[in-house]
Amino acid sequence: FEMRSISPDLPRSPPICGTFEMRSRLPLRARSAVHETYGAKGNAQLLNAYGFALVANFEPDRSSNDVRPLPLPAPRGDSLIYEPPANALLRIGPKRYSYPPLAAALDAFRAAAAAASSSVGASSRAGRRPGLSARLALEEEALRRLAAALDAELKGYSLSEESALAALGGRAPPLPPPPRGR
């Protein structure tokens, strides 16, 4: 970091490529620490803007700024039931953060299951509500499709229980053992 602007006794020089200059609107004591606040950003944003990512990127309320976009099924035809967004932005954290995107994903998969079901289509065209067994079958199909989409989206992503607990506790996960034979 180039911090020449906060200490007048440091010589001025042309900026060096890959550095930046931090300026203060308030007077600072010479050689005092200066802290930059990055704000609530996910690891992708931190990596792109600042060149680093955090192992445990959680806020004090235990929410995460990292989101995982889950592609949602596109509505088929003229769906009068529900018009889902293209993605549900899933994140770890308190219910107020994690439930709404998951509920939106479930609604999208319910709409997709309903659109694919001939019994629901026939009932709605006739102005009748599908029976309980048809509604339960649709709910089961929606949950099955959502689980399959989550599995497909997260396949290849593995985190040991020990690493997950460490990250949730704000600690760095344990390092893997060194390769044998070295």
Side-chain angles (χ1 to χ4, degrees), residues 98-119:
S98 56
Y99 279 10
L102 190 58
L106 182 55
D107 284 343
F109 282 94
R110 282 178 178 139
S117 169
S118 58
S119 64

Side-chain angles (χ1 to χ4, degrees), residues 152-169:
E153 189 64 27
L154 299 176
K155 82 176 173 194
Y157 176 81
S158 63
L159 187 63
S160 70
E161 185 176 344
E162 184 181 12
S163 294
L165 291 172
L168 289 171

Side-chain angles (χ1 to χ4, degrees), residues 2 4 11-17 19 21:
E2 287 268 328
R4 291 191 173 104
R12 298 291 254 165
S13 63
I16 300 169
C17 184
T19 65
E21 187 174 81

Side-chain angles (χ1 to χ4, degrees), residues 25-42:
R25 294 182 180 173
L26 303 173
L28 299 172
R29 288 183 302 142
R31 307 207 191 311
S32 64
V34 176
H35 302 276
E36 179 179 4
T37 301
Y38 298 100
K41 292 183 177 26

Side-chain angles (χ1 to χ4, degrees), residues 16-178:
I16 300 169
C17 184
T19 65
F20 68 92
E21 187 174 81
M22 188 178 286
R23 296 175 184 252
S24 173
R25 294 182 180 173
L26 303 173
L28 299 172
R29 288 183 302 142
R31 307 207 191 311
S32 64
V34 176
H35 302 276
E36 179 179 4
T37 301
Y38 298 100
K41 292 183 177 26
N43 275 327
Q45 294 169 299
L46 290 172
L47 189 60
N48 185 42
Y50 302 105
F52 72 90
L54 302 171
V55 172
N57 189 5
F58 292 98
E59 295 296 320
D61 69 355
R62 309 307 295 149
S63 66
S64 172
N65 294 308
D66 290 313
V67 295
R68 180 71 184 220
L70 175 69
L72 299 178
R76 292 175 46 179
D78 295 329
S79 174
L80 299 176
I81 299 170
Y82 175 69
E83 188 73 31
N87 292 297
L89 300 178
L90 303 178
R91 62 191 282 193
I92 297 171
K95 292 176 187 175
R96 68 181 177 274
Y97 296 120
S98 56
Y99 279 10
L102 190 58
L106 182 55
D107 284 343
F109 282 94
R110 282 178 178 139
S117 169
S118 58
S119 64
V120 170
S123 294
S124 63
R125 283 190 296 277
R128 292 180 286 119
R129 185 173 182 200
L132 179 60
S133 61
R135 292 194 313 267
L136 289 174
L138 278 176
E139 190 69 11
E140 183 180 346
E141 177 64 14
L143 289 168
R144 188 191 62 72
R145 289 176 181 219
L146 175 58
L150 288 169
D151 285 344
E153 189 64 27
L154 299 176
K155 82 176 173 194
Y157 176 81
S158 63
L159 187 63
S160 70
E161 185 176 344
E162 184 181 12
S163 294
L165 291 172
L168 289 171
R171 302 181 319 273
L175 295 173

